[in-house]
Amino acid sequence: MSPRIPMPPPPPPAEIRNWPDREARLADRAAALDALGRRLLGGGRLALFLSATLMLQLGWGMVGVLLTSLGGAILDPIAMLVGLIVAAFGIAVLVPAVWLTVRSVRQDRIARERLVQWALLDRHGPTDARLRAPVLSVSWMLLSAVMCGTGLWLGFAVPAGTSRDADGIGLDGGYGLVAYGMGVALILWINGLIGLTKAVSHYRLALRVTGPVTRRRDPRSASSELPRPE
């Protein structure tokens, strides 16, 4: 994992802003937007996202050892004990992975809110172009789309390709495999949706907050005009 990128604080309130000039304000705005953009879509954030997905799959794979062993025709006590131990380690991996995923989603929401606050301070062409980050957005979308597609395919392929081999004592060897396969598909599907939502929402947000400024007439100038004679 890459080193943690500190999240810039929100811009100061309007009543206490004391930038000496516009150049200083643009410099602080550029630094904050670049840091927030890296925190949302940077390479380190992508590595963290993929690492959390791998941790989820690793933990669920350990739980899958127990699930698949339950489908045997004759339950082996030793195999069952090994499956329980491995599943316990799997749960120990799953819990921090789920926590990391949920925490990342919450941190992304805070980062987007601060990004909007900084972006609305002013306009600057080069900074705004970097904020849109089309290459990173496309990379996130492609990887997430592959994850969603793979999860969707597994969700149909695993149940359809698992054969039911029941014997005299009525145990079905396919149920554990189906449960494991559906868990793998669900992890891929949910994380793929998270990545797609992140990439699309960031690009749309960047276009909205860095788009052309609509010029409005200053009401103070209108009130200062001399009244027309009737």
Side-chain angles (χ1 to χ4, degrees), residues 15-171:
E15 59 271 12
I16 62 172
R17 292 173 186 170
N18 57 354
W19 282 292
D21 50 28
R22 184 170 183 263
E23 295 300 325
R25 182 174 68 250
L26 288 178
D28 289 346
R29 176 181 181 268
L33 291 182
D34 288 344
L36 290 169
R38 290 195 304 270
R39 187 178 182 89
L40 287 169
L41 294 181
R45 198 63 173 178
L46 181 59
L48 183 64
F49 171 73
L50 295 177
S51 298
T53 304
L54 289 176
M55 286 177 63
L56 288 170
Q57 293 291 4
L58 176 61
W60 183 247
M62 293 180 181
V63 176
V65 173
L66 176 62
L67 293 177
T68 54
S69 67
L70 293 176
I74 300 177
L75 296 180
D76 185 357
I78 298 179
M80 178 64 66
L81 179 60
V82 172
L84 287 173
I85 295 174
V86 175
F89 281 107
I91 294 174
V93 175
L94 275 175
V95 171
V98 171
W99 175 83
L100 183 62
T101 302
V102 174
R103 183 176 180 273
S104 297
V105 172
R106 292 178 177 176
Q107 291 293 319
D108 288 345
R109 178 179 57 83
I110 298 174
R112 281 193 295 269
E113 293 175 355
R114 295 188 181 181
L115 184 144
V116 172
Q117 294 172 358
W118 279 103
L120 294 179
L121 281 179
D122 209 323
R123 294 289 187 270
H124 186 243
T127 303
D128 296 345
R130 292 196 304 269
L131 178 63
R132 297 185 188 105
V135 175
L136 286 173
S137 298
V138 171
S139 300
W140 274 85
M141 283 189 287
L142 289 177
L143 288 173
S144 302
V146 170
M147 292 172 63
C148 282
T150 305
L152 185 63
W153 175 76
L154 286 175
F156 289 99
V158 172
T162 304
S163 61
R164 176 170 180 149
D165 295 321
D167 59 8
I169 62 175
L171 293 177

